[in-house]
Amino acid sequence: MKNHENDERINNDSSNRNFSDILEARLSRRQILQGSLSAATLSMFGLALTGCDDDDNTVTTTSTNNAVAAAALLGFTAIPVSSDDAHHVPEGYTAKVLYSWGDPVSDGPAFNMDASNPANEQLVQAGMHHDGMYFFPLPYGSDSSDHGLLVMNHEYVDPNLLHTTGGYDADPNGYIKDKADKEMAAHGVSVIEIRKNNGEWEIVRPSSYARRVTMLTAMDISGPARSSRWMQTSADPFGVQVIGTMNNCAYGRTPWGTYLACEENFQSYFAVTDDTNLSDEQKQINERYGSDNDNGWFGWEVHDPRFDGANEPNEPNRFGWIVEIDPFNPNHKPVKRTALGRFRHECAALSVTDDDRVVLYSGDDARFEYIYKFVSNRAYDRNNRDANMIVGNGILDDGKLYVAKFNEDGSGEWILLEQGQPNLTAANGFATQADVLVKTRMAADAVGATKMDRPEWIAVHPDTKQVYATLTNNTKRTEDQVDAANPRGPNPMGSIIRWKENGDADATTFSWDIYMLAGNPDDADPNNQGNIKGDIFSSPDGIWIDKDGRVWIQTDMSGSSQLKGIYEPFGNNQMLASDPATGEVKRFFVGPIGQEVTGVITTPDGKTMFINIQHPGDVPGGLRDSLGASKPTPENPRIASNWPDFNENGRPRSSTIVITKDDGGVIGS
């Protein structure tokens, strides 16, 4: 996930308890700083979990797949940190670039190294800033590891790289409509067909599956907010169709084989040049979500009036959802599933109950925001996939949305966000379920959910069903909020938490604990040292657990922080693997200058890994003085990086990397 560096505003001023307050009541700060919490930090994540249970108050679970010996789980030799303009993998592994911004998804035009491709060509090329992704084997229903569809998000754009003369900020007089259209076309999702040919992965071109879903793609609105007063605009008076999806961060994959793209930082794409026509209620919503800006990030309101709240007060309400896409059907119209709530969705991590109901976890990626869970009311149909995704009656349209509350004793509860529940009544501004869902953040405020430190990706262990969430950092934490699990005021390093549902995945109570605190044990400040057992890292973001139980952790130190001050020892952003049985951490990958490592998935056999490199070429804080710039410019797009092409006339490009083990083995073993 990438935040604009000046987007430090906190939108949650509720009196709900902070996670730090709860942890302080449970654990002493001295325990953390002296490292004596090791048993607690491994208890649930690795060896055992002790929590509440209906029978004997003890729940014990193991987290290591018996098919893989613990000694072999992290069988690679860890690599050191790096700050050069290259990507690095362990000895015995090979990493190759597969798919970069501007590459054709099928048989479209090639990328022009000077970024001169117009909007109509960008519509059939890879979008910018690759993020979460998933591998869908072909044919549908198979477990092929040689042929499949790779589906990925393109989170946002850098106009100084996307255009030859920059975007609105750099070139306001030259900001023609084609520039705005190209920026919209570079957002969204790619579906590409890939195949292994003579041992090498290649993109199938042409492909009947390949397509782009962008900010110019029509999609249905489904679920309780469909047709509500919040969705109605002059172009869509019935509130049933929206054009586009934006700022897609992490993802989800349903049991019936569809892809869920998560809309995150939608709020800053909109301007409100005049709030005269806005109701007081809409003004409150915009303020709570941060959609009350004087201007949008990219200036789209200059050419498209729907991005100005003065013209279309409801347009921001139509973003901040999870979008369902069928990768196997290029004619499928994407669907925004409103029953899943509206907030800055970082991900959509899925689990399934014993009776085949779908459970979906998602974090709201902002400081002091919340973690949510959706449970479908009915089982998905294993024999009729189309029945699971009907507009208006899909599995993800019919269910209950909850928000997490973490208690001091290690227990937790999922609080139902349903109209008519305490504090969610008409008298409190929630007359319908559509009100609850459009104003999900405000509903969570009202029921007393726990304020977290930037919930990012969430992963569900394939065997134990334990759930892990990264809390990237919170530099706005103040000294009087320090606690045993986050003894930092502010907290620049982040942590990883996890929980276990007390019963099946639909349970309304859970037991939680902390896995690890990120940091550097050699830092002079004890608050920044963490308790990592192995290779150090900061700002955990992406997290994924493979079929054997390895926990893959990706980092996102911000551009202003990288290679500077307390972050200098961490080098460039990286990916590590962790053994949940021992807590050991090993560094597996380091990316080039300025980037974020994000998105990770393997083929079903575990022998091919795909990862994404986002926004290479951002100017790290530690290089800004020497380079004399804080970001790439249209005149010098290569100021910090020229990865991966190193073309003298090119520019850095976000890319997908394929990683294989030279001996043909499982990645990480």
Side-chain angles (χ1 to χ4, degrees):
M1 187 287 305
K2 171 67 175 179
N3 270 325
H4 281 226
E5 290 177 11
N6 294 325
D7 186 29
E8 294 287 326
R9 174 177 164 191
I10 296 172
N11 298 111
N12 189 352
D13 61 0
S14 73
S15 60
N16 292 355
R17 297 191 71 184
N18 287 289
F19 192 56
S20 60
D21 301 330
I22 295 164
L23 278 166
E24 185 166 11
R26 185 180 179 206
L27 302 167
S28 77
R29 189 166 183 259
R30 181 180 299 273
Q31 279 181 291
I32 292 291
L33 296 179
Q34 292 181 343
S36 59
L37 196 64
S38 57
T41 58
L42 284 174
S43 64
M44 176 181 176
F45 200 79
L47 301 179
L49 163 69
T50 300
C52 297
D53 180 72
D54 290 339
D55 298 326
D56 61 2
N57 282 342
T58 301
V59 179
T60 302
T61 62
T62 59
S63 62
T64 302
N65 190 326
N66 291 332
V68 180
L73 205 61
L74 304 182
F76 61 92
T77 300
I79 63 174
V81 297
S82 170
S83 57
D84 62 10
D85 198 25
H87 59 269
H88 303 274
V89 291
E91 182 180 356
Y93 286 83
T94 298
K96 296 181 179 180
V97 174
L98 175 71
Y99 181 63
S100 300
W101 157 53
D103 288 349
V105 298
S106 183
D107 53 357
F111 176 71
N112 296 335
M113 285 293 170
D114 65 354
S116 60
N117 300 89
N120 67 311
E121 294 184 354
Q122 177 63 78
L123 276 170
V124 291
Q125 296 173 323
M128 208 174 205
H129 294 345
H130 302 28
D131 210 310
M133 65 180 161
Y134 192 81
F135 177 84
F136 293 86
L138 282 174
Y140 173 78
S142 75
D143 61 356
S144 172
S145 292
D146 297 324
H147 186 203
L149 301 175
L150 196 61
V151 187
M152 73 185 69
N153 295 331
H154 302 289
E155 186 177 9
Y156 73 109
V157 301
D158 184 338
N160 285 347
L161 299 178
L162 186 68
H163 310 296
T164 57
T165 59
Y168 181 75
D169 287 344
D171 184 23
N173 293 328
Y175 191 64
I176 60 175
K177 187 176 185 298
D178 193 74
K179 284 189 174 183
D181 288 345
K182 184 177 182 181
E183 290 166 3
M184 294 184 196
H187 280 74
V189 175
S190 281
V191 180
I192 58 173
E193 182 180 356
I194 59 175
R195 184 192 298 272
K196 190 182 287 186
N197 184 16
N198 294 323
E200 297 289 333
W201 284 94
E202 62 183 20
I203 300 173
V204 177
R205 297 187 176 104
S207 169
S208 61
Y209 294 102
R211 66 163 164 160
R212 287 291 319 287
V213 175
T214 74
M215 263 303 297
L216 300 170
T217 302
M219 44 197 69
D220 285 318
I221 300 170
S222 194
R226 176 181 169 92
S227 301
S228 72
R229 61 188 175 112
W230 301 112
M231 295 295 178
Q232 298 167 3
T233 65
S234 58
D236 178 27
F238 297 105
V240 297
Q241 176 178 276
V242 63
I243 305 300
T245 182
M246 64 170 68
N247 213 265
N248 304 104
C249 193
Y251 74 98
R253 181 262 183 193
T254 67
W256 49 93
T258 57
Y259 182 82
L260 303 179
C262 302
E263 297 180 333
E264 191 195 356
N265 286 301
F266 66 92
Q267 74 288 341
S268 294
Y269 288 74
F270 297 92
V272 181
T273 58
D274 182 354
D275 64 3
T276 303
N277 294 326
L278 272 65
S279 67
D280 288 343
E281 190 173 15
Q282 184 62 58
K283 291 178 185 177
Q284 292 170 357
I285 295 172
N286 285 350
E287 181 178 5
R288 182 64 182 87
Y289 280 85
S291 301
D292 53 350
N293 316 288
D294 294 332
N295 49 66
W297 269 347
F298 304 116
W300 291 351
E301 65 273 14
V302 172
H303 294 293
D304 192 336
R306 69 184 175 123
F307 292 99
D308 187 345
N311 301 305
E312 293 292 350
N314 277 344
E315 191 67 22
N317 303 333
R318 293 149 63 90
F319 294 86
W321 305 101
I322 289 177
V323 184
E324 185 172 17
I325 299 168
D326 184 358
F328 296 96
N329 179 5
N331 297 314
H332 172 259
K333 188 177 181 181
V335 184
K336 296 199 177 187
R337 299 291 183 183
T338 64
L340 306 180
R342 175 177 173 265
F343 47 91
R344 286 161 60 170
H345 287 277
E346 177 73 18
C347 67
L350 279 91
S351 187
V352 178
T353 63
D354 292 340
D355 60 357
D356 282 348
R357 284 174 296 126
V358 172
V359 175
L360 184 151
Y361 300 96
S362 191
D364 187 347
D365 183 11
R367 295 166 180 86
F368 304 115
E369 292 300 340
Y370 307 119
I371 292 174
Y372 298 86
K373 179 171 88 167
F374 170 86
V375 181
S376 68
N377 284 334
R378 65 183 194 275
Y380 75 94
D381 193 328
R382 290 176 175 264
N383 301 311
N384 184 357
R385 73 184 295 262
D386 289 343
N388 298 316
M389 47 183 167
I390 296 172
V391 174
N393 194 35
I395 295 299
L396 300 181
D397 291 327
D398 180 21
K400 293 179 171 59
L401 183 66
Y402 300 86
V403 66
K405 181 179 181 181
F406 293 82
N407 298 319
E408 298 172 2
D409 61 357
S411 67
E413 57 189 294
W414 294 106
I415 306 174
L416 181 62
L417 297 179
E418 186 172 87
Q419 197 279 332
Q421 293 292 309
N423 297 328
L424 299 180
T425 63
N428 299 108
F430 304 99
T432 67
Q433 187 62 12
D435 293 344
V436 172
L437 296 170
V438 171
K439 301 188 288 185
T440 302
R441 278 185 169 182
M442 300 159 82
D445 293 342
V447 300
T450 303
K451 297 161 76 170
M452 309 296 286
D453 282 354
R454 283 188 60 197
E456 295 269 3
W457 288 49
I458 299 175
V460 181
H461 194 287
D463 296 325
T464 68
K465 305 304 180 185
Q466 293 172 358
V467 188
Y468 310 84
T470 54
L471 304 178
T472 288
N473 54 47
N474 187 349
T475 57
K476 296 299 183 180
R477 181 188 292 276
T478 58
E479 183 63 28
D480 61 356
Q481 293 176 312
V482 297
D483 56 73
N486 287 299
R488 302 149 176 164
N491 169 25
M493 296 296 179
S495 63
I496 301 174
I497 65 166
R498 72 293 175 89
W499 61 89
K500 175 76 172 179
E501 303 287 6
N502 292 333
D504 205 351
D506 65 336
T508 56
T509 62
F510 58 92
S511 301
W512 66 270
D513 211 324
I514 302 297
Y515 180 40
M516 67 178 66
L517 305 173
N520 175 14
D522 295 329
D523 194 291
D525 185 348
N527 290 341
N528 296 337
Q529 292 174 358
N531 63 355
I532 297 171
K533 184 179 179 181
D535 293 328
I536 63 172
F537 64 89
S538 173
S539 305
D541 191 326
I543 189 168
W544 178 69
I545 306 171
D546 67 23
K547 65 184 181 68
D548 296 324
R550 296 176 194 85
V551 181
W552 296 94
I553 303 165
Q554 300 173 317
T555 71
D556 182 20
M557 295 173 286
S558 70
S560 61
S561 301
Q562 290 178 44
L563 309 182
K564 181 180 180 181
I566 60 173
Y567 297 100
E568 185 175 4
F570 300 102
N572 297 339
N573 276 311
Q574 57 190 276
M575 182 174 74
L576 312 96
S578 180
D579 182 345
T582 65
E584 183 183 7
V585 177
K586 282 188 175 184
R587 187 176 300 105
F588 181 83
F589 180 92
V590 180
I593 291 175
Q595 53 74 51
E596 168 193 351
V597 185
T598 182
V600 54
I601 196 70
T602 64
T603 50
D605 62 8
K607 296 181 179 180
T608 299
M609 173 177 279
F610 305 94
I611 66 171
N612 280 328
I613 301 301
Q614 184 185 106
H615 59 77
D618 275 12
V619 181
L623 299 181
R624 292 183 178 183
D625 288 344
S626 61
L627 295 178
S630 61
K631 59 183 178 181
T633 64
E635 297 77 22
N636 192 356
R638 298 171 293 278
I639 189 170
S641 173
N642 199 11
W643 184 91
D645 303 302
F646 300 101
N647 184 289
E648 62 181 0
N649 298 312
R651 53 201 57 221
R653 295 201 284 164
S654 296
S655 300
T656 301
I657 291 179
V658 178
I659 301 175
T660 53
K661 197 174 182 183
D662 296 347
D663 65 4
V666 171
I667 304 297
S669 64

